[in-house]
Amino acid sequence: MNYEPVIGLEVHCQLLTDSKIFCGCSTRFGRPPNTNVCPVCLGMPGVLPVLNRRTVDFALRAALALHCEVQPVSVFARKNYFYPDLPKGYQISMYDRPLALRGWLEIDPPGGRRRVGITRVHMEEDAGKLLHEGFPDSDRKSHVDYNRSGVPLIEIVSEPDMRSPDEAHAYYSTLRDLLVEIGITDGNMEEGSLRCDANVSLRPKGRTAFGTKVELKNLNSFRFVQRALEHEIARQTQALDAGQRIVQETRLYDPNEDRTYAMRSKEEAHDYRYFPEPDLLPLAVDAAWIDAVKRALPSEMLAARRDRFVTQYGLAPQMAATLTGSHDLAGYFEATAAGSGDPRGAANWIATEVLRKLNEEKKDLGAIALRPETLGKLVRLVKDGAISGKIAKNVFEVIYPTGRDPAEIVKEKGLVQVSDEGVLTAAIEAVVAASPDQLQKYRAGKTTLLGYFVGQVIKATGGKANPALVSRLLKERLDRP
Ligand SMILES: [Zn+2]
């Protein structure tokens, strides 16, 4: 039987606030266990949560960047369950009245561009962390660290719009880049800043009704998302082909064994006995608040900028993707291109020379002396034929660390490209006279030797000869009987 996978992802994202969502404790990662804690995040009786406004700002940024409809009023709810990392016995989350609904994210999987629906974005608090290893009594006891208890999260739930592990991978990585771009998370997956659960079911191709879904928990890297889904799809296909029924359950992916195994039967919402959080007022977000958040977002997101670079400057998609790695880099390119008269040339200079230097020196664009306007002048000198590309590389080495005007360097060092036919013809005659063997082979049909002659003439002029002109003159000279 031919099945179609139906995949939806739930992504938890830790927000980059300094303090926790309902108390003033620090959110710093890696502190000694139970040092970022207070009665509120330890769930002591009688304490009251106070909502951190910045958490809402950050959650709104995500909601708007994902084209969601922000709800004028949303409500925090208690999600009740027992686990030792949850000191109150409930998690403050949002349930039937989340912060934002109905958005979308555009992705570029191998099969072509698609839009994935966003069901909802809501805020909640993180739980603590159980430590099962690393203590002298770890064979008998587990320890718990509440530093993470109360760290703000948003949960982003997608529609079941993805049809392959490739698409799920593209969605997750595009979403991560977007959340990092808007400055609400560091996106650090090793430290758990981003976590992903996937729902996957199969249905016979052509049928619209969904099959029974299985939830895969804790897929902590892009690769694990892809591999766990591939594995789970294979498992469900085999079961369905054997006439078995899929059980609705939660499964864990083990990357070491590359398989999933059943963890528990899937809870239903009623298992959590949700009810509105009585200690917090409903959250009202007015138009002025939304406008203020909108102003803090980039006016054009990187994905849109990447598309524009292709249409406006004629860059290849891969080059456009490289140059939109950050807004700083994209801005540097646009400023370089503006004065260069040659956007594609500008793109090449940045992608090869500038990024190589930054990489070697482990520096940011903001820390270098070479201004984009200055680099644009260098690109223009090449474009106008004033200097050759080879000479330009030498000039670049001078202007990169100093930020000096390239035209000045060219003048100072006498590097202006030689385009005087008289001068070039003399150099050509000298080279031809000194290379009788190559001349004979060339005339015998080995025309690839033209490159050798061009190289010799350019060398004879100290690299200053105009290569296009040399090539034309040489061809005339060598082909003359
Ligand atoms: Zn606290």
Side-chain angles (χ1 to χ4, degrees), residues 247-475:
V247 183
Q248 179 166 332
E249 63 185 353
T250 299
R251 298 177 74 86
L252 273 178
Y253 174 66
D254 182 340
N256 297 317
E257 292 181 46
D258 191 22
R259 66 181 204 98
T260 65
Y261 55 92
M263 186 170 119
R264 55 167 187 248
S265 65
K266 168 81 182 160
E267 322 74 355
E268 302 284 345
H270 63 247
D271 293 334
Y272 290 121
R273 293 169 292 126
Y274 280 102
F275 61 87
E277 168 59 59
D279 290 339
L280 288 166
L281 288 168
L283 172 65
V285 178
D286 60 15
W289 194 349
I290 292 176
D291 280 347
V293 172
K294 266 189 190 148
R295 280 196 297 276
L297 287 173
S299 57
E300 182 185 32
M301 298 297 291
L302 284 171
R305 223 169 168 179
R306 188 176 63 222
D307 288 350
R308 182 166 60 77
F309 280 12
V310 173
T311 50
Q312 182 179 342
Y313 299 111
L315 302 187
Q318 188 53 51
M319 177 64 89
T322 301
L323 295 180
T324 49
S326 71
H327 283 289
D328 282 350
L329 182 59
Y332 192 93
F333 162 69
E334 293 210 82
T336 304
S340 70
D342 179 14
R344 280 200 266 188
N348 279 325
W349 276 95
I350 294 168
T352 53
E353 301 304 316
V354 177
L355 289 184
R356 178 177 58 81
K357 288 275 188 197
L358 289 177
N359 217 2
E360 278 170 13
E361 297 172 359
K362 309 239 174 299
K363 272 190 186 165
D364 291 331
L365 270 177
I368 65 172
L370 180 59
R371 301 315 315 140
E373 297 74 20
T374 309
L375 179 59
K377 285 183 190 170
L378 179 67
V379 179
R380 184 172 277 283
L381 289 173
V382 180
K383 157 98 174 149
D384 292 347
I387 56 174
S388 68
K390 193 160 178 287
I391 293 287
K393 293 247 159 91
N394 297 334
V395 176
F396 178 82
E397 293 298 328
V398 180
I399 65 171
Y400 179 82
T402 59
R404 290 185 57 195
D405 183 0
E408 227 172 73
I409 311 291
V410 169
K411 211 166 128 193
E412 207 172 276
K413 302 200 169 190
L415 297 173
V416 177
Q417 183 158 271
V418 178
S419 296
D420 181 324
E421 292 199 16
V423 175
L424 293 180
T425 305
I428 285 168
E429 289 306 331
V431 167
V432 170
S435 317
D437 290 354
Q438 286 82 355
L439 180 63
Q440 199 192 349
K441 282 182 188 155
Y442 177 89
R443 290 193 164 150
K446 200 170 177 205
T447 52
T448 50
L449 277 170
L450 179 67
Y452 161 81
F453 285 102
V454 172
Q456 290 300 305
V457 174
I458 289 178
K459 203 167 151 194
T461 57
K464 290 186 282 183
N466 177 334
L469 188 55
V470 169
S471 183
R472 179 170 66 77
L473 294 174
L474 255 174
K475 212 162 171 317

Side-chain angles (χ1 to χ4, degrees), residues 17 19-25 38-41 47-53 55-56 76-77 88 90-94 123-126 149-152 277 279-280:
T17 55
S19 55
K20 293 184 178 179
I21 181 169
F22 299 124
C23 63
C25 290
C38 74
V40 174
C41 53
V47 297
L48 288 172
V50 176
L51 179 59
N52 176 345
R53 185 183 171 100
T55 298
V56 185
F76 282 99
K88 297 193 294 291
Y90 59 86
Q91 178 191 29
I92 303 180
S93 180
M94 291 178 137
M123 291 176 277
E124 62 188 28
E125 58 180 341
D126 209 344
S149 169
V151 166
E277 168 59 59
D279 290 339
L280 288 166

Side-chain angles (χ1 to χ4, degrees), residues 42-113:
L42 288 173
M44 298 291 179
V47 297
L48 288 172
V50 176
L51 179 59
N52 176 345
R53 185 183 171 100
R54 199 148 177 77
T55 298
V56 185
D57 284 336
F58 280 9
L60 285 173
R61 273 194 216 175
L64 293 172
L66 291 166
H67 314 95
C68 289
E69 299 161 18
V70 174
Q71 304 303 293
V73 176
S74 50
V75 174
F76 282 99
R78 287 190 184 179
K79 180 180 183 179
N80 298 280
Y81 65 92
F82 175 76
Y83 206 64
D85 63 4
L86 192 70
K88 297 193 294 291
Y90 59 86
Q91 178 191 29
I92 303 180
S93 180
M94 291 178 137
Y95 179 51
D96 53 353
R97 301 190 66 183
L99 180 72
L101 296 165
R102 289 180 292 275
W104 49 267
L105 177 66
E106 213 155 52
I107 61 169
D108 277 306
R113 183 164 295 187

Side-chain angles (χ1 to χ4, degrees), residues 135-265:
F135 297 92
D137 54 359
S138 281
D139 57 333
R140 283 163 290 129
K141 291 178 178 166
S142 288
H143 294 243
V144 61
D145 173 10
Y146 289 113
N147 283 353
R148 206 176 65 179
S149 169
V151 166
L153 300 176
I154 52 171
E155 180 173 339
I156 299 163
V157 181
S158 85
E159 289 289 301
D161 283 349
M162 288 158 272
R163 296 290 172 265
S164 69
D166 273 345
E167 289 185 5
H169 181 288
Y171 170 85
Y172 193 21
S173 66
T174 306
L175 180 62
R176 176 192 176 272
D177 289 350
L178 178 94
L179 297 173
V180 170
E181 179 186 354
I182 60 177
I184 66 167
T185 180
D186 57 17
N188 189 326
M189 300 172 88
E190 287 80 41
E191 293 178 4
S193 301
L194 224 57
R195 291 163 246 161
C196 177
D197 305 332
N199 287 303
V200 54
S201 64
L202 297 188
R203 62 184 175 193
K205 270 224 165 90
R207 212 178 75 176
T208 48
F210 293 141
T212 305
K213 71 180 175 187
V214 165
E215 185 180 30
L216 301 174
K217 277 275 181 209
N218 293 331
L219 308 173
N220 292 332
S221 77
F222 303 135
R223 205 161 52 90
F224 288 175
V225 167
Q226 180 138 9
R227 277 174 47 189
L229 283 168
E230 279 165 3
H231 178 90
E232 180 59 21
I233 288 166
R235 188 190 71 85
Q236 289 188 25
T237 301
Q238 211 174 24
L240 290 172
D241 280 343
Q244 294 163 6
R245 282 182 50 198
I246 303 296
V247 183
Q248 179 166 332
E249 63 185 353
T250 299
R251 298 177 74 86
L252 273 178
Y253 174 66
D254 182 340
N256 297 317
E257 292 181 46
D258 191 22
R259 66 181 204 98
T260 65
Y261 55 92
M263 186 170 119
R264 55 167 187 248
S265 65

